Amino acid sequence: MEKIRIGIIGVGNCASSLIQGIQYYKNKTEKNAIGLMHWTIGGYKPSDIEVSAAFDIDARKVGKEVNAAIFERPNCTMIFHKNMPTTGVKVLMGRILDGFSDHMKTYEDDYTFVVSKAKEASRKDVVAVLKESRTEILCNYLPVGSEEATKFYAECALEAGVAFVNNMPVFIASNPQWSARFKEKNIPLIGDDIKAQLGATITHRALVNLFKKRGVKLMRTYQLNTGGNTDFLNMLNRTRLASKKQSKTEAVQSVTAERLDKRNIHIGPSDYVPWQNDQKICFLRM
């Protein structure tokens, strides 16, 4: 079968883990492929995915080979497959819009984004890259709160005729208007937001579901996350959190025996700790 060609928007920690994983699992079998929920989907394995295009706005990544850019700061995710092959795919300058929060300018370069001075990509530029690279799926890993930037890339996907996987909480797939537009063109659309493999939200859901099965009446619950990556630094600007909070809250509400009053459920990032690399804490109160 031919490779699944994906484009990456935002070559950050999540993209780094994904791209490392594609290479890591190439030499694995179903029996020793630890960490995957499914070894194959529709006959495709992780090694059947390849990156065909990538966009970012950080000066340390733009212009670099994508398999090298994933190890540049401010990325701080675990490196579990260091020896990455060259692909010939370079990270291109994307569109900033609201993808960069002003408060991040006050932090050291090692922890924040260093915005490239390269010319920003236009919609025409992005569409041309997607078509020329024969990209089939565009994966969005923009920072939380990037409403306008996400819509910009969703428009590019529509025009280029490529599927759009929205991995962050700007409501595209769950928005009836956007969903209808993709459906009209018969283009796949998936989202919105993703959960960490064993993060706070999925743990919270598991516990709430367990309480329901055991007949425990849940009266109140809250979840506070802390982490040390750029997403948590970005989310110190609380005005960017509305969609993230809604996404996480609904994920937990969906497994409660009875829907909790909004006053009795609180879920959201709490603080940024630079050396706490994506560690998350989940508190429950009954």
Side-chain angles (χ1 to χ4, degrees):
M1 296 187 292
E2 292 187 2
K3 297 282 188 179
I4 300 172
R5 299 175 64 81
I6 66 170
I8 301 288
I9 308 165
V11 187
N13 285 310
C14 291
S16 177
S17 295
L18 171 64
I19 295 170
Q20 286 186 71
I22 291 171
Q23 294 299 321
Y24 175 81
Y25 289 111
K26 277 188 174 180
N27 298 318
K28 301 293 182 181
T29 64
E30 185 172 5
K31 289 184 178 180
N32 64 8
I34 297 171
L36 290 181
M37 292 176 64
H38 306 286
W39 174 242
T40 61
I41 297 178
Y44 288 96
K45 295 180 290 188
S47 58
D48 292 317
I49 302 170
E50 66 180 11
V51 177
S52 55
F55 301 91
D56 203 278
I57 64 167
D58 195 291
R60 293 161 291 189
K61 299 173 184 177
V62 173
K64 290 192 176 177
E65 214 275 345
V66 66
N67 280 4
I70 60 174
F71 300 125
E72 292 289 341
R73 297 295 295 182
N75 289 10
C76 57
T77 195
M78 179 182 292
I79 297 175
F80 56 90
H81 194 82
K82 188 174 183 178
N83 298 318
M84 299 290 289
T86 57
T87 65
V89 176
K90 288 189 175 181
V91 179
L92 303 176
M93 181 62 183
R95 191 68 171 268
I96 301 173
L97 296 171
D98 56 356
F100 178 70
S101 181
D102 282 343
H103 79 281
M104 296 184 74
K105 295 176 182 177
T106 62
Y107 288 82
E108 295 178 36
D109 291 352
D110 208 32
Y111 303 113
T112 188
F113 302 126
V114 178
V115 179
S116 173
K117 295 180 180 179
K119 182 182 178 182
E120 292 184 53
S122 66
R123 178 169 160 182
K124 182 179 179 180
D125 294 332
V126 175
V127 171
V129 169
L130 296 177
K131 288 183 176 180
E132 291 168 9
S133 62
R134 296 183 292 111
T135 296
E136 298 170 294
I137 303 172
L138 188 57
C139 301
N140 180 28
Y141 289 109
L142 285 171
V144 169
S146 305
E147 298 270 346
E148 295 304 316
T150 295
K151 292 175 182 177
F152 167 80
Y153 284 106
E155 291 283 5
C156 292
L158 273 170
E159 186 172 337
V162 305
F164 192 67
V165 178
N166 188 32
N167 297 299
M168 47 84 70
V170 167
F171 302 123
I172 300 294
S174 52
N175 180 292
Q177 287 74 36
W178 278 104
S179 180
R181 293 180 64 192
F182 274 84
K183 186 176 182 180
E184 183 181 358
K185 287 196 171 186
N186 198 31
I187 300 173
L189 173 63
I190 297 175
D192 303 301
D193 207 3
I194 52 175
K195 298 182 187 70
Q197 185 181 40
L198 290 173
T201 304
I202 192 64
T203 303
H204 197 164
R205 278 170 55 97
L207 290 172
V208 169
N209 194 37
L210 177 64
F211 295 158
K212 179 173 65 177
K213 290 179 178 178
R214 292 294 185 265
V216 176
K217 182 175 177 60
L218 186 65
M219 299 175 64
R220 301 182 184 91
T221 184
Y222 69 93
Q223 171 185 318
L224 303 178
N225 299 354
T226 64
N229 58 32
T230 47
D231 207 33
F232 279 85
L233 177 59
N234 167 67
M235 289 187 289
L236 288 181
N237 181 348
R238 301 306 192 200
T239 63
R240 300 175 69 89
L241 287 178
S243 58
K244 184 74 171 180
K245 182 176 176 60
Q246 183 178 346
S247 173
K248 285 181 171 292
T249 301
E250 289 304 314
V252 176
Q253 287 275 33
S254 67
V255 293
T256 56
E258 295 180 6
R259 190 174 181 85
L260 295 174
D261 185 278
K262 64 181 181 180
R263 294 171 295 182
N264 294 327
I265 182 169
H266 175 85
I267 299 175
S270 177
D271 208 351
Y272 166 72
V273 183
W275 46 264
Q276 190 179 6
N277 185 13
D278 203 24
Q279 299 298 311
K280 300 174 182 179
I281 303 170
C282 174
F283 294 97
L284 291 182
R285 177 184 292 174
M286 293 188 296

